[in-house]
Amino acid sequence: MKHLVSVADLTKTEAIRILDTAMQLDQVTEHGAKKLPTLRGRTVVNLFYEDSTRTRLSFELAAKRLSADVITFSAKGSSVSKGESLKDTALTLQAMGADAVIIRHFASGAAHQMAHTGWIKAHIINAGDGTHEHPTQALLDAYTIRRHLAPHRQDFEGLTVGIVGDVLHSRVARSNIGLLSALGAKVIVVGPPTLMPVGVEEWPCEIRYQLDDSLPELDAIMMLRVQQERMNGSFFPSVEEYSREYGLNRIRASRLPDHAVVMHPGPMNRGVEITAEVADGHRSVITEQVANGVIVRMAVLYLLIGGGAHD
Ligand code: CP
């Protein structure tokens, strides 16, 4: 594997290898080794055309913990605002000797273009492209699910994961459906018909339009952010009605099995898709997802550019 653009780039064995490596890195860092020399002398570029808090910071931290030199490039404040193209930006990074480029872009397909046009020789990691994919988010979500619900297993056979809300605009949902189903989980997608993409019935998941009856079946429930910034029309009558039908509140959370965990990729709209009480409640693993993001991204960088994939 040279690039990570989509979860479809990963075989099941490769995905499990990333999760196993993350588990080992977690143990090493838990035992006090905060920094490893694995990527000393390598240059990792964070190329962000779209805002990010968790993904950008955790990739930066992950690369630094592996001793790489890290450059963070934000489109705002760069020559992109003078009209520089993605190609010329790629050629510039190639000239500077980037070994890996982590790209977030508002356009679906931008990471694929960087990886497969020959503009740059670096490894390309997709940190979220438009509404298409966010593969490292799916990997950190799978890692979080494994730690809580399948700590001694490599596959997710027998587990049911609910993904709820604005599926239409969610790259997190697309990547999670692909990865979790490949690992053997049953995935149930729930949301209003207006927020389901065309062709969703072809995806490896079950589609439902009503949340309440599904709750007792779920081992994990992943609430999606309502992405109002990507909506150029009215997809539901009002925020209040959306919350009433699809929001996770205390009453709904009490209908989940006792062992079930509540997840959200962030950033959250508290009071819309999830109440503050549930987001901060005892079932929530939302801050653990953030912490696991650093470990999983360390594993991806190690396997992709540290040569770990060829051990
Ligand atoms: N989950 C996620 O991608 O968050 P950021 O947009 O803050 O990176």
Side-chain angles (χ1 to χ4, degrees):
M1 178 180 55
K2 163 134 176 141
H3 308 293
L4 180 56
V5 171
S6 157
V7 293
D9 292 339
L10 298 170
T11 61
K12 182 177 175 182
T13 307
E14 285 171 332
I16 289 171
R17 181 123 200 245
I18 293 170
L19 302 184
D20 288 346
T21 304
M23 203 72 102
Q24 287 158 7
L25 287 166
D26 220 349
Q27 280 158 8
V28 171
T29 50
E30 245 171 44
H31 287 98
K34 276 268 179 248
K35 200 156 174 153
L36 304 171
T38 321
L39 299 186
R40 192 168 287 150
R42 307 294 181 94
T43 302
V44 173
V45 179
N46 261 333
L47 179 61
F48 277 63
Y49 286 80
E50 209 185 50
D51 295 343
S52 167
T53 299
R54 281 147 286 268
T55 312
R56 187 170 64 78
L57 293 179
S58 63
F59 263 118
E60 194 168 322
L61 198 53
K64 284 181 173 163
R65 287 203 177 150
L66 293 171
S67 305
D69 296 320
V70 185
I71 304 167
T72 292
F73 171 110
S74 173
K76 280 179 212 147
S78 76
S79 288
V80 171
S81 55
K82 299 178 201 159
E84 187 159 44
S85 66
L86 187 61
K87 177 179 178 178
D88 284 332
T89 304
L91 294 175
T92 303
L93 298 180
Q94 172 65 27
M96 288 179 180
D99 293 294
V101 176
I102 294 149
I103 177 169
R104 168 166 290 193
H105 204 285
F106 47 82
S108 299
H112 182 273
Q113 203 170 23
M114 282 288 271
H116 298 293
T117 46
W119 296 335
I120 185 165
K121 292 196 184 91
H123 299 270
I124 305 298
I125 302 174
N126 183 3
D129 62 325
T131 58
H132 175 229
E133 281 231 31
H134 194 350
T136 58
Q137 178 70 43
L139 285 161
L140 76 87
D141 290 337
Y143 184 73
T144 306
I145 289 170
R146 188 205 257 200
R147 284 193 58 138
H148 279 271
L149 302 168
H152 306 299
R153 287 173 27 204
Q154 291 194 313
D155 66 40
F156 290 172
E157 295 293 339
L159 291 181
T160 302
V161 180
I163 300 181
V164 182
D166 182 1
V167 183
L168 179 64
H169 301 103
S170 180
R171 53 199 179 202
V172 172
R174 278 170 184 73
S175 290
N176 262 296
I177 292 165
L179 182 66
L180 295 174
S181 62
L183 290 171
K186 173 178 173 180
V187 180
I188 300 176
V189 169
V190 187
T194 50
L195 289 175
M196 289 291 176
V198 172
V200 69
E201 57 286 347
E202 310 289 329
W203 296 6
C205 57
E206 202 176 306
I207 316 298
R208 298 190 189 166
Y209 300 108
Q210 203 265 349
L211 177 58
D212 288 304
D213 292 347
S214 305
L215 294 167
E217 290 175 56
L218 305 179
D219 299 298
I221 184 167
M222 201 177 285
M223 303 308 296
L224 299 174
R225 187 167 68 84
V226 174
Q227 298 192 40
Q228 304 226 25
E229 75 279 11
R230 293 193 205 272
M231 294 183 187
N232 53 6
S234 189
F235 288 83
F236 42 81
S238 68
V239 169
E240 290 73 24
E241 188 163 330
Y242 179 88
S243 302
R244 202 161 48 242
E245 294 296 321
Y246 297 103
L248 189 62
N249 55 27
R250 184 174 50 81
I251 309 274
R252 286 206 169 106
S254 72
R255 301 196 59 223
L256 292 163
D258 287 345
H259 65 267
V261 293
V262 170
M263 306 174 74
H264 192 302
M268 287 183 273
N269 295 308
R270 287 173 182 253
V272 181
E273 66 268 3
I274 189 166
T275 63
E277 192 181 11
V278 176
D280 300 329
H282 70 283
R283 292 173 182 284
S284 170
V285 295
I286 295 168
T287 53
E288 270 181 62
Q289 287 173 263
V290 177
N292 291 340
V294 178
I295 290 293
V296 166
R297 287 170 176 133
M298 282 174 77
V300 168
L301 289 170
Y302 166 69
L303 291 169
L304 239 62
I305 61 172
H310 309 297
D311 288 351

